[in-house]
Structures are given as structure tokens and as C-alpha cells.
Amino acid sequence: MVYHWQSQNVKLSGVDDMVLLPKISEDAIVDNLKKRYMDDYIFTCIGPVLVSVNPFKQMLYFGEREIQLYQGAAPYENPPHVYALADEMYRNMMIDNENHCVIISGESGAGKTVAAKYIMSYIARVSGGGTRVQHIKDVILESNPLLEAFGNAKTVRNNNSSRFGKYVEIQFGTGGQPEGGKISNFLLEKSRVVSQNKSERNFHIFYQICTGATAEMKQNLGIAELDYYKYLCHGGNNHRVDGTNDAHDFQETLQAMNVMGISSTDQSNILKLTAGVLHLGNISFKEHGNNAVIESQEELQFPSYLLDIDSSQLSTKLTSRLFDSKWGGKSDKIDVTLNKEQALYARDALAKGIYARLFDYLVKSVNSAMVTNIVSNNTGILDIYGFEIFECNGFEQFCINFVNEKLQQIFIELTLKAEQEEYVQENIKWSNIDYFNNKVVCDLIESKRPPGIFCVLDDVCATMHAVSNGVDQDLQMKLNAANGTHQHYQQWKDGFTVHHYAGIVNYSVRGFCDRNRDVLFPDLIELMQSSENPFVRSLFPEQLTAGSKSRPTTAGCKIKTQANMLVEELMKCTPHYIRCIKPNETKRPKDWEELRVKHQVEYLGLKENIRVRRAGYAYRRPFQKFLSRYAIITKETWPHWRGDPRQGIEHIMNKVNMEKAQYQLGKTKIFVKAPESLFLLEEMRERKFNVYARVIQKAFKKYFAQRQVQKQKEEACSVVFEKKQRRHFSINRGFVGDYIGVENQPALLSLIGKREKVVYAEHVLKYDRTFKSARRDLILTANALFLIGREKIKKGPEKGTFKEVIKRKLELENISDIALSQLQDDFVIIHMKQDYDSFLELIFKTEFLTVITKKVKEKTGHELPLRFSNFMDFKVKKDGWGGGSIRNVKFEQGVGNKATLKPSGKVLTVSIGPGLPANTRPQATSTIRTTKNRNNNNQSQTARPKLGTQSRIQEIQSRPLPPPSGESSAPRQYGSLRNAPPPPSEPAPPNQPVVRQSLAKIAGTVKGKDPSSRPRMETPREMNKPPVTIKTPPMPSLTLPKNGQAIRKVSAEKAPSNPSFMNPPSSGVSGEKRSSKPIPGGGKPRPAMKPKPSLPKCRALYDYQAQDLDELELKEGDIIEVFKEDDGGWWHGTLKGKKGLFPGNYVEKL
């Protein structure tokens, strides 16, 4: 799949930002959304407002790649995406130190819940780390399946419809890491427990427990087939939902309970109460005279067993009720027997009360799992039920649509009304744009004077007695009398009609008063408080007082209060908006209903939003905040601007050549018109920071590199200290390791084996029994020492050419010792235990000795002996019968730095002048120098090592020796060193500095990207290069990349029938203004947990200080579980519950 940012020849559908539409109309907006939707581009934007169209299938651009792409990117740098909005919200919260929130709105089935989950998952992915932080992230993410199981259900409009409102607040610490959170829930649609509309389901948890419970759980809970429960059959027998696996979701629900810290005992109690609600629904009544009686006493067994209450008490409380009576100053209690209708009402009220309190307990458990005392910034995510129109709209739909009216009012206040008022207050030139303000509809519903619908409803409920017949008709009459002349209210035969911002909705008043009163009778509360189960009693903590005259709070009053509190909370935050659109009612991908989408575009006010955005300013900030962010761009304003803030801002704008038409200065704020202008400022600010960061980074890297080099020099010096004279150039030079570039020569790598890691390589001379030399490539790995030569091919198509061959392979464990002279020569003799020896001459002998002694000790556990003597011998290779004799090498003091070789029979005399004393140590390199001194000394610092090395190679090549045998005639160049590759990957010393890239790039390593993309440490040779003064490059003109989108494709799902009430509603007045019965069991069921698979482990050899948030901090001896090993050196694992990266050369496998 090709993204538009990867190629300029990709089809673009419509425009990303509808502010750029050539014509602003509902038809143009719908046409643009359709083009993009048909090409699988579900996101479009209007400035900062994100418009999302439900694709009704799983899209592919929500993975790790997209998280890396949008993290830290500018809003218009990539195509519109929910990740872009989440990233902007998170970063601005950290930058401005302000609370932010995202308001997700749209009708039922438009994709609000999915958008909220993607925002939470993105924030959890990009924020900080740590054990506590990871726990908070897990709670935030796992709260979704838990609350969805108990609070979501299938409706005719949505297979996973939220039947409650949820506002999630994620609280962050000063470092941007989640420290805690809080969830506020609103108006659970508990009436769904006892009844559902046709083709709808009850809450998910009932189907999950019936299909996913184990056999033991089913026996203990009395779980039978779905058709057995009356509470699950009101909507028909459509228990299955396409794309939903209830059994699998049940396991996720249990896992979520574990994450919340809910004990197994409480989990068992939760499932018992859930099953108890189902069994309550199977209790049936019959008329006996005018009284209700239980049809079968068996129906009481399982409910009373699961609720731990007496079955006779349950029967009594469901069929009778105690009333307080006063007469002549005396009080008495009267036991009144209920009729069948009243008994059914009592049964359903008990079931709804138990389920609602159980849901509140789960929300409290989630909040307890992430409670924190840290006072910090927070990010709020509002996921609330969408605007609904059903065939029969009752009290719940009325409350849901009222909350959506309040959210629409926030959008109008902050994006249309407040923005235009701000321009006027700041003296910004502006022409007002007309729009429909739905405050008039909110007042119709919640106003006190004149009395709104809620006030009239509460007054009627206050005069109700028990279950009064005709009370709903009284409500209808009083509503018509109070609001009959309101232009957004209309009388209707079965109730009343409201002209909402989203269209006309007819509400049936049947059951309005009962559901609004929301009273659980004291008899039923006393029944539950008599339970032998402490968990059940804890859900009913009421203190029942006789003769209480206080009016109980109604459901309408609660939702009105909660909605206003929510609005106040949202108004304190910086808001972000996602406007979700539902393209069809069939729930099928690529199905586009023109009229439905146009209706949503109209009532969401997208056209007015585009007009305001087009004429307005994309960015506004108070003067001081603007200066504090962009002062770094000019040297006059950095680090502090002492003068008038307006003059400082003008100076910055002039410096970046910003046109006057692109910004205005108000009384207290600056207004920037185009996003591109803001991106220019951000880019220039970022470049300034990069320049300073490079200066700091260079000094930091150089300091630690010099310390590392000095340490290597000291280690190398100790190998030959007071035992061998030193050459002048070898004392203070840096170590490279691979001097022939083996990593870039596939032929050599194939010879030694791809799994062999090269730790040292150099061109050497090998001497035979007659002291004739032959050139070899010496390659040292962790297991062996290779001597590579060249042989001439005598047959085949490549006849006459030369190829590399292994002349000798010396296993490290077979090396007995290494012999050297006490003079400054370069000769070494490698003695073998059971084989002939190797007499070599190499330039970088000190470095070679340092590396090979380390590797031999690692391989064998023993030190490699080094012998220093001016008279040495070595065994030569057997050549024919009776071969394999001894050769001697004698060293004597001569003149000059060139070694003179005089072979005589079986003795070679090597004569060389005196070198530096054997007790010479390398000089300590100063790590603090001024830029001026570094520039003045560049030439002298860099010349010596390079020229010395070159002279030694030329010395060996020019030495007068007899012509070497056979292979010496191969056309081979040894006159210069190749470019040095990176240093070998050896066990690093403690506290070795590690240079890291940004978090976004490292995220790829965790998911399997190439870890070699991590920056490597500079090689010693690179560290010894002359320091260069950093010059700030001229700032080129900046251009923004074109925007586009990615295309995705997933399977579709079946569509239900489309009844007439599903059609787009009339706009109304608002539109005109816009233009086998189970056997009881026993025991407490405990869900079986799957054993975790074992992972390979390793032990930390050194302490390691984490350099970034996604790294693990190691202490020597720590045991780490390894998820993935990577050849690049960075491994992925877990330590003490924290997942992250750690260097592989700091550990050993167990």
C-alpha cells in the first residue's frame, strides 16, 4: 500500500481540508466526503475539527507505522487522522501546561466509541514509561472492554451502541507520563435490562456469560440457553451479531477485571448478580382474585440462591408493599397486596436497580485502579451516546438527545459564537457570519422560567402514587399547556414532538413518569440489605428513615445536573472536536446514502464552520506565550525580550519575512491566518533548537569518546608495559579494529562464516621456514584467528584470476602463548599447542594483543601467556618425510626505526634501533578546549597517526627480501588503509554512553524494524578527526508537503432491514433556521487462567543507565525476560513488569 507521502504519483480524492473547497455548500461538502469515503479515506478536516465517516469495516492505517508517522508531526504534514488530533492535543497540553479535551459527537452508529478508543491507545503508546505508568495505561485501555460489556448493546442503528455516557480524564505528570485518571458515567439506559425494541439486544454481558462461561460456571450460575431467559427475548431471537464473538469477548472482560484489581471473589459476585438479574426476569405472576401470586415457586430458587436472600422474603416483597399510614397523630404500617401489573413493575425495578448499582461499582473499581494524588494537567475524552431516533422514542431517547443538544451548544459557543466575539474584542477586522444557535432548544427542555419539559415532568412525578394509571396522559396535557406555543415544540397524538438541532423527534409519553421517578421501593432495598453476601449489601448502603418528607431526586434532574456539570468541565479545557458521520443504515462498507449524509452535514453545522474558519485565523496566542515559544528564532529576542511584547513579535515576523496580511496584532493576542505560516515559525524554531542541540551533543560525545579512547590506551599499554619498547606513533593513536573493511567484503565474510563477528582485522606479513614473506589478511573473531591468502585459479572459465582462500585457521583455545621481542619491532610468534606456529609481522601489534587476550579469556576463561625475549623459536610446518623442524629468531640493538632482516640457515637476525622506553605511557587527552584552540591545532593533531601508519606500511613493502612464493604474484594493493568501519561489538564497560535517536524512530525497533538505524558510537579514528567549528547553515525557503491519504480494504457485514423510521428525519424548525430449567448448584466459580508462555532470560553483566523513556535501566545481576534479540545490538524485553529496550552487549544469556 503506497501512502501519498511516499510518492507524488498517487491518486488524491477530494481535499483533505474542506476549508480549501472552491465552493462552500452542503452539496459540495457531501460530494467531497463521498469521494474520499469511496477511496477509503475516512478522515477529513475543517481546520482543527476532524470529520470522521464510519467505514463499517476495519481499516489498516491504525498500526505502529502510523503512530510513528504522526508522533511529533505538524498537523498538516500528514493526511487527516485521529492520531494527528490526539498528538496535537497531547503535545499542546505539555507545551502550554493547560487541560485539553476532545468532544466526539454524532448520531448513534457514527463511530464515536471507536474514535475514543484509538485516541486512548495512541496516548498510551506515545507517553512515558515506568511500572506505575504502564499500570495506568493498562487500566485505561482495559476499561474499554469491561465497561462496553456492561454498558453497550446492539441497536437497530449500531451493533455496539454505548447505552451510557462516559467522560475519561487521563491525568499526566510533569514529564508527560500518565499518573492516574477518572471516569465519569452518565445515565445508564437500565430500562434495556427488562425490555428492548424489536431487532435489538440486551447488554453484551448477558450474551457473553451464556456463551463464554465454563461448564462449572454455568452449573454454579444456572446458565442455560439464551432463549430460556425472558429478558433476552423482547427484541426477538436475534442473539447473534455479525462480527461479534461473545465467548471471546467474555474472556477479555474477565481479563479486564484482573487488570482493574478486582479480586476473584468479587468477580464471582459480579457474575452471580449478572446471572441473578436474568433469573429474576423469569419470575412470572398470575392473578388470584385481584392479587398477584408467583406462578411457580421453583422460579424463586435460583434468584434467591444467587442473591443470597430468603426465597419466601423475595416472594413477599415482589407481591406486596408496606405503606406508612398516619391518622390522628398516630402512625401505622399497612401491608398492601399488589396486582399483577404492580408485581411485574416491582420485579423489573429490582432487576434494574441491581444492574445499575453493579455498573456503578465497576466504574468505581476502574477509578480506584488509577487514583492519584498528583495535581497535574489532564486530557479528557468524551464518548457519549449519539443522537437517536427510533421507531418508539421514550424517556431514555429524550435524555440522550438533550445531552447531544448541550454538546452541540458547546460546539457553537466555542467554534462559531466565541470565535467571532473574540475578533471583536481584540479589534480584529471581521464580518459576522450567521448560524443557528440551538440554545433555544436547550431552554425548551431545561428552563425553569418559563417551565421547561423537565420541570413539568418533575412536578407530575411529585404527585404520583404507586403506579398511577393516567399519569402519562396528565403529563401530556400539562406539557401542551406549558409549551404549546413554543416554535420548537409540537403536540402529537401519543406524546409530543421536539424540533431538535438534528431533526424532528416524536416522543411517546408512555412510561415517561415511571422512568423519570426512578425510585426503588424501600421494601426491595430492605430485601437486598438482608442478603448474607456482604458484596450485595455493599451495593445498597441506604439508611432508610421512616417518615422522610424529602422528595427523591428524579432521573431527569440527575441527567440535567450531570449535563451542566459536564459542560462546565469541558469549558475549562481547550477543546478539540471530532464530528462523526454515519453514511448508511445498512452497516455495510461503501454504501452511501446521499440524503442521510446531507442531513448530518446540515445539522452538524459543517458549512458554517468552514465559512468561519475560512474567514478567520488559524492560530491565536497571547503575546507573552508567543514570545516565549518563538523568541529563539532571532538573537535579539533570545533568551529574553526586555521591551514591549508587540515590538518583539513584530521583530520576529520581520525576521522570517512574514507578510502583514498573514497576521494581525490584537489588544492582547497575535492572530496568524494560515496554518502554513505557523508551520514556518515551527520549522525555524525547530532548526534553531537543532543547532544548539548539535553543539551540546558534539561536546558530550567528544568528551565521552575521549574518555573511552584514553581507557583503551591505558589497557593496551598495560599489556606490554615495562616489557617491550614502544614505537613513537603507536602510543597515542586511536584504535579502529577493522583496518581492511571486512564488513564490506562479502568474499571474506563468506570464508569466515556469516555468524562470525569480526573484532579485529589487519594486513600482515607471514614468514615461512626460509624466512620468505607472504601477505595475508589477519581476521580475528570471537572463536578463531584466520589468515586469508590469495591463490591463482588454474582451471575453468576464471582461469588466471585470484580468489581468497583460508590459508590457516587458528582456534583460540589451541593457542598456547604469543612471543614478542623486547625491542620496538612488529614481529609476533603465535605458538600452538599441538600444531606448527605462525611467525607474523603486523603494524598494530599492541591493539592486536589487547583484543586477542580479551577474546581468549572470554573463550577459555584463562589468561593468554605473553612471552618477551630477544631470542625466540617457532615450529615450522612439516613438508614431506622428516619435516617439522625448529627455526630461531634473534633480535639485536641496531640503528634507525626500520628493521633489518638477515637470514642465515635456520636463524633470522632482526636488527632495529631503540624505541621509546618500555615504561612509556600514553598522554592524557584534554577534553576541554576552546573552539579557537581546536581550530588552530587541527593540522598538528591529525597528521601524526595517519602519516606514521602509512610510513610503516611503506616500510614493509620496500623491505629488501627475496620474492615470496607462489601466491605473492597476485595483483594485490597494500599501499593504503581502507575506510574504517564501526568498532566491534564487544562487552561494553559499565556506564558506556549510548547515543539514541528520537522515540518515534525507536518505536520501530520494538515492532521489528531494523535496529541498525540507531546511531552508532563514533569509531576511535573518527573521534581523532580534527574538530570543526559548527556553522549555522543558511535557512532555505520552506515548503509544505502535499497531503493525501492511504487506501484500505476489509470485508463487509450483512445489513438488516431498513424500516421507515430509519429514514433521515425532517429538519423541522431547526432546519429552517439553518437552511431446560437448570438445577441449583453451589460453590464459587473461578475462571481458569491460561498459563503464560515462558520466555528466554538473560543476566545483566554491567549497570546501564537508561537514556530514554523506552529503555530499561539495568543493575548488575538483574534477570531480564527477552522478547526479541536483534543483530543491531538493541534487544527488547521486560524487567520488573516494565517493557523496553536494552543493549545486548551488557547481558549474557542464561
Side-chain angles (χ1 to χ4, degrees):
M1 187 62 64
V2 180
Y3 290 79
H4 85 284
W5 51 82
Q6 296 172 320
S7 172
Q8 298 297 326
N9 300 318
V10 179
K11 176 185 176 184
L12 299 179
S13 299
V15 295
D16 288 344
D17 192 341
M18 289 193 287
V19 174
L20 304 177
L21 283 174
K23 181 181 179 181
I24 303 177
S25 66
E26 278 87 0
D27 292 334
I29 295 172
V30 172
D31 182 63
N32 186 68
L33 292 174
K34 181 179 180 181
K35 287 179 181 177
R36 297 174 62 75
Y37 176 75
M38 291 302 178
D39 288 335
D40 284 338
Y41 300 152
I42 65 172
F43 296 117
T44 313
C45 64
I46 303 173
V49 178
L50 184 68
V51 180
S52 173
V53 183
N54 191 344
F56 290 109
K57 62 179 181 180
Q58 183 62 46
M59 309 304 291
L60 301 181
Y61 39 79
F62 292 97
E64 187 67 24
R65 173 191 175 88
E66 284 69 36
I67 290 178
Q68 296 180 34
L69 188 71
Y70 284 91
Q71 185 179 2
Y76 283 78
E77 185 176 333
N78 294 311
H81 199 289
V82 68
Y83 287 167
L85 181 141
D87 185 75
E88 183 181 14
M89 177 173 61
Y90 175 71
R91 285 190 295 116
N92 287 340
M93 178 198 69
M94 299 300 300
I95 292 171
D96 299 330
N97 198 28
E98 296 175 347
N99 295 336
H100 285 247
C101 68
V102 55
I103 302 174
I104 310 173
S105 58
E107 66 180 46
S108 179
K112 301 181 297 301
T113 299
V114 175
K117 287 194 285 188
Y118 278 128
I119 292 174
M120 285 188 277
S121 65
Y122 179 86
I123 292 176
R125 177 64 184 82
V126 302
S127 51
T131 305
R132 163 72 180 174
V133 171
Q134 188 59 46
H135 170 70
I136 297 299
K137 291 180 180 180
D138 292 340
V139 171
I140 292 171
L141 297 180
E142 291 297 329
S143 66
N144 288 319
L146 178 61
L147 297 183
E148 283 184 15
F150 285 85
N152 286 28
K154 174 190 179 295
T155 67
V156 292
R157 292 184 175 273
N158 186 1
N159 288 344
N160 187 34
S161 178
S162 297
R163 310 316 300 162
F164 72 105
K166 178 176 65 175
Y167 183 57
V168 181
E169 295 177 85
I170 307 175
Q171 298 166 336
F172 294 89
T174 55
Q177 70 279 5
E179 293 287 352
K182 178 185 176 183
I183 294 180
S184 304
N185 63 303
F186 311 95
L187 187 67
L188 176 70
E189 188 191 19
K190 56 186 178 183
S191 63
R192 181 169 292 272
V193 174
V194 300
S195 65
Q196 307 92 40
N197 292 329
K198 187 178 180 180
S199 299
E200 295 189 353
R201 293 206 317 176
N202 210 318
F203 290 104
H204 293 326
I205 186 61
F206 296 120
Y207 305 91
Q208 292 179 9
I209 198 172
C210 289
T211 58
T214 62
E216 182 183 0
M217 293 171 65
K218 288 183 177 181
Q219 181 181 3
N220 293 334
L221 301 177
I223 300 299
E225 296 297 324
L226 292 167
D227 294 336
Y228 171 71
Y229 301 104
K230 295 178 181 179
Y231 278 168
L232 303 184
C233 297
H234 289 286
N237 294 327
N238 56 329
H239 302 309
R240 307 297 178 189
V241 178
D242 292 341
T244 300
N245 186 335
D246 291 316
H248 176 268
D249 292 345
F250 182 63
Q251 299 303 319
E252 289 189 349
T253 302
L254 296 178
Q255 174 61 29
M257 290 185 189
N258 291 328
V259 174
M260 301 307 138
I262 301 176
S263 66
S264 58
T265 302
D266 287 343
Q267 290 184 34
S268 175
N269 288 324
I270 291 170
L271 298 180
K272 286 175 67 175
L273 288 181
T274 305
V277 169
L278 288 178
H279 287 288
L280 276 176
N282 281 5
I283 298 176
S284 56
F285 304 90
K286 63 182 178 180
E287 292 281 359
H288 183 71
N290 291 328
N291 301 329
V293 296
I294 306 292
E295 281 193 355
S296 173
Q297 292 299 315
E298 293 181 359
E299 295 172 348
L300 298 173
Q301 294 181 18
F302 245 108
S304 58
Y305 160 72
L306 294 173
L307 300 177
D308 285 318
I309 56 178
D310 184 70
S311 60
S312 62
Q313 281 292 314
L314 176 61
S315 175
T316 301
K317 297 300 183 182
L318 292 181
T319 56
S320 64
R321 186 177 310 155
L322 283 176
F323 287 94
D324 291 327
S325 174
K326 288 187 178 182
W327 183 262
K330 296 181 179 181
S331 61
D332 195 5
K333 291 189 176 182
I334 302 175
D335 192 356
V336 177
T337 305
L338 306 180
N339 59 31
K340 181 178 179 180
E341 180 185 355
Q342 293 170 332
L344 289 172
Y345 179 86
R347 179 201 66 183
D348 292 346
L350 179 59
K352 291 187 293 184
I354 293 173
Y355 192 84
R357 293 166 188 249
L358 181 59
F359 186 80
D360 290 339
Y361 167 81
L362 293 173
V363 174
K364 290 179 182 178
S365 299
V366 174
N367 289 335
S368 299
M370 52 182 178
V371 67
T372 180
N373 296 324
I374 296 177
V375 179
S376 59
N377 296 323
N378 65 68
T379 293
I381 304 169
L382 180 62
D383 174 23
I384 207 162
Y385 19 60
F387 189 87
E388 291 184 344
I389 304 176
F390 292 141
E391 186 174 10
C392 179
N393 301 291
F395 177 75
E396 285 78 10
Q397 279 68 49
F398 178 74
C399 293
I400 288 171
N401 293 341
F402 163 69
V403 174
N404 279 271
E405 287 282 358
K406 298 292 289 184
L407 295 181
Q408 175 69 5
Q409 190 179 10
I410 292 179
F411 182 78
I412 290 172
E413 287 284 338
L414 297 181
T415 62
L416 302 178
K417 183 174 180 290
E419 183 165 354
Q420 297 191 75
E421 289 177 352
E422 185 179 31
Y423 294 149
V424 175
Q425 293 171 1
E426 292 284 335
N427 288 337
I428 302 297
K429 296 179 181 179
W430 180 256
S431 298
N432 281 332
I433 294 173
D434 295 330
Y435 56 89
F436 168 65
N437 192 338
N438 72 324
K439 187 176 185 301
V440 62
V441 183
C442 295
D443 290 341
L444 166 66
I445 298 174
E446 64 175 340
S447 174
K448 292 184 178 180
R449 290 196 179 103
I453 295 176
F454 274 134
C455 284
V456 176
L457 179 60
D458 287 346
D459 288 340
V460 173
C461 290
T463 60
M464 285 181 61
H465 299 285
V467 182
S468 302
N469 293 326
V471 69
D472 292 331
Q473 286 70 28
D474 292 342
L475 171 64
Q476 184 178 11
M477 292 174 58
K478 291 186 178 182
L479 286 175
N480 293 338
N483 302 299
T485 59
H486 198 288
Q487 58 182 341
H488 287 269
Y489 179 90
Q490 189 176 328
Q491 299 181 21
W492 185 52
K493 60 178 182 177
D494 294 330
F496 60 94
T497 300
V498 176
H499 291 240
H500 288 283
Y501 79 99
I504 297 176
V505 183
N506 297 322
Y507 295 103
S508 172
V509 295
R510 183 180 180 183
F512 244 72
C513 294
D514 286 336
R515 293 174 180 176
N516 179 59
R517 192 168 50 160
D518 194 31
V519 174
L520 189 61
F521 299 118
D523 300 43
L524 299 177
I525 295 177
E526 289 178 352
L527 173 66
M528 301 310 296
Q529 289 178 343
S530 68
S531 173
E532 297 179 2
N533 189 336
F535 181 83
V536 176
R537 294 198 302 270
S538 68
L539 299 182
F540 294 85
E542 290 91 340
Q543 296 292 332
L544 299 177
T545 57
S548 176
K549 296 182 179 180
S550 61
R551 180 187 297 185
T553 306
T554 62
C557 182
K558 290 178 184 177
I559 192 64
K560 184 171 65 173
T561 303
Q562 287 179 329
N564 289 320
M565 290 177 60
L566 175 63
V567 169
E568 291 179 6
E569 192 69 28
L570 295 176
M571 295 291 278
K572 297 176 183 177
C573 305
T574 302
H576 304 261
Y577 304 95
I578 300 179
R579 311 291 267 174
C580 296
I581 291 178
K582 187 177 184 180
N584 60 66
E585 285 293 346
T586 62
K587 306 172 191 172
R588 293 185 301 181
K590 297 297 182 72
D591 187 5
W592 186 265
E593 297 179 14
E594 194 88 8
L595 293 177
R596 177 169 300 281
V597 176
K598 185 175 181 181
H599 175 71
Q600 295 174 74
V601 168
E602 289 175 354
Y603 76 67
L604 289 173
L606 298 188
K607 183 180 74 172
E608 291 77 10
N609 193 8
I610 294 173
R611 291 176 61 195
V612 172
R613 188 70 187 176
R614 202 168 191 175
Y617 293 83
Y619 174 86
R620 76 281 316 272
R621 274 292 183 276
F623 291 152
Q624 203 56 48
K625 283 191 175 182
F626 183 89
L627 268 177
S628 64
R629 182 160 183 81
Y630 299 110
I632 194 174
I633 292 178
T634 69
K635 62 181 181 180
E636 291 82 7
T637 56
W638 179 258
H640 300 291
W641 174 256
R642 304 293 183 184
D644 182 17
R646 296 173 65 93
Q647 294 179 358
I649 294 173
E650 288 282 6
H651 179 75
I652 294 174
M653 292 305 197
N654 292 333
K655 202 72 173 179
V656 299
N657 298 321
M658 183 82 70
E659 297 180 3
K660 290 285 186 180
Q662 289 299 314
Y663 70 96
Q664 282 196 53
L665 298 180
K667 292 181 179 179
T668 61
K669 296 180 180 180
I670 178 175
F671 294 79
V672 180
K673 193 171 188 64
E676 292 81 1
S677 302
L678 182 64
F679 301 154
L680 172 65
L681 291 169
E682 286 290 329
E683 181 69 17
M684 298 187 74
R685 174 181 179 271
E686 191 70 22
R687 291 192 178 190
K688 284 289 186 179
F689 272 115
N690 287 343
V691 169
Y692 294 134
R694 284 195 296 270
V695 172
I696 297 172
Q697 187 183 44
K698 179 181 178 181
F700 179 86
K701 289 166 64 176
K702 181 175 181 180
Y703 171 75
F704 278 97
Q706 288 176 334
R707 284 182 56 185
Q708 188 72 8
V709 169
Q710 187 65 27
K711 185 176 181 180
Q712 289 178 335
K713 292 177 182 178
E714 294 291 343
E715 290 178 353
C717 178
S718 63
V719 174
V720 296
F721 185 69
E722 293 186 341
K723 299 174 184 176
K724 184 177 176 65
Q725 296 178 7
R726 306 296 304 278
R727 287 190 177 274
H728 289 273
F729 76 89
S730 69
I731 294 295
N732 292 307
R733 72 172 187 86
F735 290 174
V736 174
D738 183 1
Y739 292 91
I740 60 179
V742 175
E743 299 292 341
N744 299 320
Q745 299 190 51
L748 292 179
L749 289 175
S750 63
L751 287 177
I752 64 175
K754 294 182 179 180
R755 294 184 178 275
E756 292 283 356
K757 183 68 176 178
V758 176
V759 294
Y760 182 82
E762 180 188 354
H763 302 307
V764 301
L765 292 179
K766 185 270 301 183
Y767 291 86
D768 60 10
R769 65 177 61 243
T770 60
F771 304 113
K772 294 180 179 179
S773 66
R775 292 177 172 84
R776 296 283 187 267
D777 289 342
L778 181 148
I779 300 176
L780 176 63
T781 69
N783 298 309
L785 179 68
F786 296 86
L787 295 176
I788 310 294
R790 302 298 187 276
E791 286 186 353
K792 195 172 188 178
I793 300 176
K794 300 179 179 179
K795 296 181 180 180
E798 298 181 356
K799 180 180 179 180
T801 60
F802 291 85
K803 69 174 182 178
E804 291 86 354
V805 295
I806 297 178
K807 290 293 187 178
R808 192 173 188 192
K809 179 180 179 181
L810 308 178
E811 300 289 348
L812 296 185
E813 58 266 27
N814 293 331
I815 299 177
S816 62
D817 63 76
I818 296 180
L820 302 94
S821 76
Q822 297 173 342
L823 304 181
Q824 65 163 330
D825 60 274
D826 297 326
F827 294 95
V828 298
I829 297 178
I830 301 176
H831 292 109
M832 306 301 295
K833 295 179 180 178
Q834 303 294 331
D835 203 353
Y836 65 96
D837 306 324
S838 290
F839 181 30
L840 306 175
E841 183 179 11
L842 42 87
I843 302 174
F844 308 113
K845 57 185 178 303
T846 308
E847 181 178 353
F848 169 72
L849 293 174
T850 304
V851 176
I852 195 171
T853 52
K854 282 184 178 180
K855 292 303 172 184
V856 169
K857 186 173 182 180
E858 290 175 8
K859 184 75 174 177
T860 64
H862 304 291
E863 296 286 350
L864 176 63
L866 300 179
R867 295 192 295 107
F868 296 87
S869 172
N870 287 338
F871 188 84
M872 301 180 296
D873 57 52
F874 63 95
K875 293 184 291 184
V876 298
K877 185 179 180 180
K878 292 183 179 180
D879 190 10
W881 186 84
S885 58
I886 302 296
R887 297 292 184 269
N888 297 314
V889 182
K890 180 181 178 182
F891 296 86
E892 59 183 25
Q893 192 82 39
V895 293
N897 292 327
K898 278 188 175 183
T900 303
L901 309 184
K902 297 180 180 178
S904 176
K906 295 184 179 182
V907 178
L908 175 67
T909 302
V910 180
S911 176
I912 191 170
L916 295 176
N919 59 358
T920 304
R921 288 191 176 275
Q923 297 176 358
T925 305
S926 175
T927 58
I928 302 177
R929 297 174 184 168
T930 63
T931 304
K932 182 176 179 181
N933 289 341
R934 289 200 305 265
N935 293 340
N936 292 340
N937 297 331
N938 277 348
Q939 186 174 358
S940 62
Q941 290 172 4
T942 59
R944 184 174 57 189
K946 185 172 182 180
L947 294 178
T949 302
Q950 187 69 21
S951 64
R952 288 294 300 126
I953 297 173
Q954 292 174 355
E955 173 194 336
I956 294 176
Q957 290 178 324
S958 61
R959 183 174 298 138
L961 282 174
S965 59
E967 71 278 355
S968 63
S969 60
R972 184 84 184 280
Q973 298 296 325
Y974 289 88
S976 62
L977 294 177
R978 297 176 182 156
N979 293 333
S985 176
E986 299 177 20
N991 299 326
Q992 176 180 343
V994 181
V995 182
R996 297 296 311 277
Q997 285 182 328
S998 66
L999 181 64
K1001 295 183 179 179
I1002 290 174
T1005 306
V1006 182
K1007 295 294 182 181
K1009 301 294 178 70
D1010 184 9
S1012 63
S1013 61
R1014 286 178 177 267
R1016 62 180 177 83
M1017 293 295 294
E1018 290 184 314
T1019 64
R1021 171 161 294 195
E1022 290 168 338
M1023 293 173 182
N1024 285 341
K1025 286 185 178 180
V1028 180
T1029 304
I1030 295 178
K1031 296 182 179 179
T1032 305
M1035 202 76 71
S1037 60
L1038 304 177
T1039 58
L1040 295 174
K1042 295 181 179 180
N1043 290 328
Q1045 300 75 22
I1047 301 175
R1048 302 289 182 268
K1049 189 174 182 180
V1050 187
S1051 59
E1053 49 181 280
K1054 297 180 180 179
S1057 60
N1058 190 8
S1060 60
F1061 73 89
M1062 306 282 282
N1063 295 331
S1066 172
S1067 299
V1069 176
S1070 300
E1072 294 172 1
K1073 290 196 172 189
R1074 283 191 302 269
S1075 252
S1076 67
K1077 302 183 181 176
I1079 300 173
K1084 297 179 180 179
R1086 294 176 182 268
M1089 301 299 294
K1090 296 181 179 179
K1092 294 184 178 180
S1094 59
L1095 296 172
K1097 293 181 174 61
C1098 61
R1099 178 187 291 108
L1101 299 175
Y1102 316 98
D1103 291 349
Y1104 174 70
Q1105 187 72 31
Q1107 305 292 318
D1108 211 335
L1109 294 176
D1110 63 334
E1111 291 183 6
L1112 296 178
E1113 184 171 350
L1114 305 182
K1115 298 293 184 183
E1116 184 178 353
D1118 282 347
I1119 303 299
I1120 308 106
E1121 288 186 333
V1122 182
F1123 291 150
K1124 183 178 180 181
E1125 301 177 17
D1126 214 302
D1127 294 336
W1130 288 96
W1131 292 6
H1132 188 208
T1134 177
L1135 174 63
K1136 300 177 182 177
K1138 177 183 177 181
K1139 299 177 183 177
L1141 303 170
F1142 60 94
N1145 58 350
Y1146 278 62
V1147 299
E1148 66 176 357
K1149 293 183 181 179
L1150 297 179

